[in-house]
Amino acid sequence: MATFLYRLGRLAFRRRRLVVMLWVAVLAAIGIGAMSAPGTSSGALSVPGTQSQRAIDLLQKEFPQASADGATARVVFEAPSGQKLTSAANKAEVESLVAKLEQSPQVSGVSDPFSSGLVSKSGSIAYAQVSYKVAEADVSGAAHSVQTDVVAQGEKAGLKVSLGGNAVKDKAASKAAELIGVGVAAVVLVITFGSMIAAGLPLLTAILGVAAAVLSVTLATHFFDLASSSTTLALMLGLAVAIDYALFIVSRYRNEIRDGHEPEEACGRAVGTAGSAVVFAGLTVIVALSGLSVIGIAMLTSMGLASAFAVAVAVVIALTLLPAMLGFAGMRIMKGRMLTRRMKALERGEGESTGVRWARFVTRNPVKVLAVSVVGLALVAIPAMSLQMALNDDSGKPPGSTQRIAYDTLSKGFGPGFNGPLTVVVDARDSDDPKAAAKSAYSMLSKLDDVAAVRPPSFNESGDVALIGAVPKSAATSEATKDLVGEIRGHGTALHRDTGADLMVTGLTAVNIDVSTKLSDALIPYLAIVVGLALVLLLLVFRSIVIPLKAALGFLLSVVSTLGVLVAVFQWGWLKDLFGVDQTGPIVSLLPIVLIGVVFGLAMDYEVFLVSRMREEYVHGAEPTQAVVQGFRHSGRVVTAAAVIMVSVFSGFLLDDEALIKSIGLGLATAVFFDAFVVRMTIVPAVMTLLGHRSWTLPKWLDRVLPNVDVEGEKLRHALEAEQTDPAPEPVLAGVASGVHAGSDGHGGAHAFTGFHASGDPDTPAPAQQAAGKARGLSRFKQRLARGGEATTPADSAESEAPARRKLLKNPMRRS
């Protein structure tokens, strides 16, 4: 892996113009194709195998005029204060608006409030139910225009008119979240690198990668029905991981430059080592997101696959376009005019970074640190024991939106249950007396305590399938309504026994309940599949049993703690004013399983980036505790910056008005914070210190079976050392000896050469031999430094290589 990526990085560096032109051509082609794409749907839920879905399928066959899967809208009318809709003037205006709705394109039927009994007891509120022939994603702009005209005409006449239902178009989402995330990322990158060029490259490649991914998702709507939330999640994740992946490679590239390598060689080594970690980190995210498809809900499948594709694009961008951009930047990426005095001292090898001091503190006090961290997360997780889940409805829409006004007005006039009516289907095709069966069902529904109103049965043309409407007394997302649906279905068993007819409950409320149940049932199998596959990947990366298990357990701890925060804020109302939550309620059913898929992948990102550097130091001869500290020396600052960027990107979505987006933003931001700073940077080093060498042990039989993917670049290092071995001594820059090199900004800095092993390792060359080999291999670069020349080749030239070097790069494992 490392060897292949080393060659790929050097190739992209040399052929930078070709690589950039190819990416520009790809973006242009995708953009042209996306311009004519139909776009994403609004994400209607379809859950095959559930009772509600079977009832919808039956209604489509027996009641085609009802458009069982078609979009619906509720147009709510409220009379001016002190007036009633039943007055002559107001009634005439409402009937005029209803007539206009009936003439709307794609409408299959409109219920008149006055003839259908849809006027409140006070006479001040009424609503018309509008049914469309098409699904919500296919409601045309002309139909939406009619809705808007009805609202405007009614308000002009003095009525308050609002719209609810899935046929109503949502307000365009604000782009403030993405802009804030990019802005904070830019600041963090500048602070991390102290260079505008070094900070700009991750942002530039991330924006291009996200553009390619989002345009590709839009293009895919030519062939697939994708939920609109697919694009949102792909954008959110693609932006975060693309910046992170580029950040790790750029950071490693700068380190290789400081170690004295020429830019092209530094790029190859950076992509070969940090790029390997990027590949496996990306694979864990892709596995976790693709696993959402096993649940069997089309909306989740499209969200997972679209986001996984965005992550895959981010990986490919980081391995191809980023090295090409590094080729254009050359040595200018090392100019750190914005470095603080402390950062300049660290560049010269003086003093210790905050990450190193933190690592030393943790390794000196592993038991105390581990106890405090675990107990703290466990306390935060306590509210998760009260977790309640339900799918969101119009009650979660932003305050002041037409959907929210319609919801609140209906609740005021008719009771909260009118926002979630139930559709009861009596399938009496196998019954001797279908009418008697329907009458029995109607009578049963009328006697239930939580039923506010029941509409008499209506039959299909054959007279053997009946449709009954039931309105609960409680809100659609309440536990009481969920219990009511279960009670009605329970009575269906007795109805079948007595009459031979089957009873099914459907409608949006019942569909949401079935989806929530299916998500709850799928949670454990999904966890097993995703965690199991990711454990295999981590086993290959680290060649250790302990580290993958520790990574998975740490992830579970961070997820449970995050659920505790979500319950405390959105369900209990703690700090709700701080986060702009105007009302409390159950957690959206989709959130926990999406949170698990996304956060598991991101958690493994930090595990791979941080621990792979520890493993690199360990296999190069460092003691376990020393490897932990060295891992923080090289990766702690970068992992911290990456986590801050992700938290910032996700926190930006708290500015959204919709409760669902707020909860996703808070959940992801909290999970990344807990996992990066508490689990990966606190619990992980504490556990690895306590376990010592046992952290890296692997049974011999398993060691023989597993392929060596060489993430830490050990094979690559040996190949490059063999290439640099030359019996003829060459002059070396004065003052540059083993472990000392000219810094990027002209300062001399002490650095331990990568690959320095502790004495006694039979497979490791002696330190003097290593240093001499590296010095000889870098002599031309250092001679140019001594002459004061440019430390890089011209932008469009590449140094010629000896035939033996070309042969070795083609097969780096070749030994002479």
Side-chain angles (χ1 to χ4, degrees), residues 175-197:
K175 300 298 180 184
E178 293 89 334
L179 295 176
I180 290 174
V182 171
V184 174
V187 173
V188 173
L189 289 170
V190 169
I191 293 174
T192 302
F193 291 126
S195 164
M196 292 297 292
I197 295 178

Side-chain angles (χ1 to χ4, degrees), residues 27-57:
L27 273 173
I30 296 173
I32 292 172
M35 289 175 63
S36 60
T40 54
S41 73
S42 56
L45 288 172
S46 174
V47 193
T50 60
Q51 186 186 106
S52 56
Q53 189 63 45
R54 291 198 305 271
I56 289 174
D57 296 339

Side-chain angles (χ1 to χ4, degrees), residues 481-646:
T481 300
K482 183 178 179 180
D483 294 339
L484 174 63
V485 171
E487 185 179 3
I488 295 173
R489 287 172 173 171
H491 284 292
T493 304
L495 182 70
H496 179 75
R497 184 181 62 246
D498 296 339
T499 66
D502 293 323
L503 183 145
M504 295 177 286
V505 185
T506 188
L508 183 59
T509 301
V511 169
N512 289 352
I513 291 172
D514 287 346
V515 169
S516 298
T517 302
K518 185 161 187 173
L519 288 172
S520 299
D521 294 341
L523 199 58
I524 301 303
Y526 172 69
L527 263 178
I529 292 172
V530 171
V531 173
L533 290 175
L535 286 178
V536 172
L537 282 174
L538 294 177
L539 185 64
L540 290 173
V541 173
F542 297 119
R543 305 190 71 77
S544 163
I545 293 179
V546 172
I547 289 178
L549 291 175
K550 168 184 58 64
L553 292 175
F555 151 75
L556 293 174
L557 187 58
S558 61
V559 163
V560 174
S561 302
T562 301
L563 290 176
V565 171
L566 290 175
V567 169
V569 174
F570 290 93
Q571 197 172 304
W572 292 358
W574 294 3
L575 302 177
K576 68 175 185 178
D577 293 334
L578 176 64
F579 295 107
V581 180
D582 65 298
Q583 68 175 29
T584 59
I587 304 300
V588 179
S589 303
L590 295 173
L591 183 56
I593 204 156
V594 170
L595 188 71
I596 288 171
V598 173
V599 174
F600 185 82
L602 299 181
M604 297 306 104
D605 268 8
Y606 298 121
E607 183 76 12
V608 170
F609 289 134
L610 189 61
V611 181
S612 63
R613 195 60 193 254
M614 296 179 187
R615 175 172 169 76
E616 184 176 340
E617 298 295 331
Y618 180 77
V619 299
H620 290 170
E623 290 297 317
T625 302
Q626 183 186 3
V628 171
V629 175
Q630 291 300 318
F632 270 80
R633 182 186 302 277
H634 294 292
S635 299
R637 182 182 182 88
V638 181
V639 169
T640 300
V644 170
I645 288 171
M646 281 215 181

Side-chain angles (χ1 to χ4, degrees), residues 29-30 209 231 235 247 397-398 458 490 604 667 794 808:
I30 296 173
T231 304
L235 175 63
L247 168 63
K397 296 295 182 181
S458 57
M604 297 306 104
L808 185 60

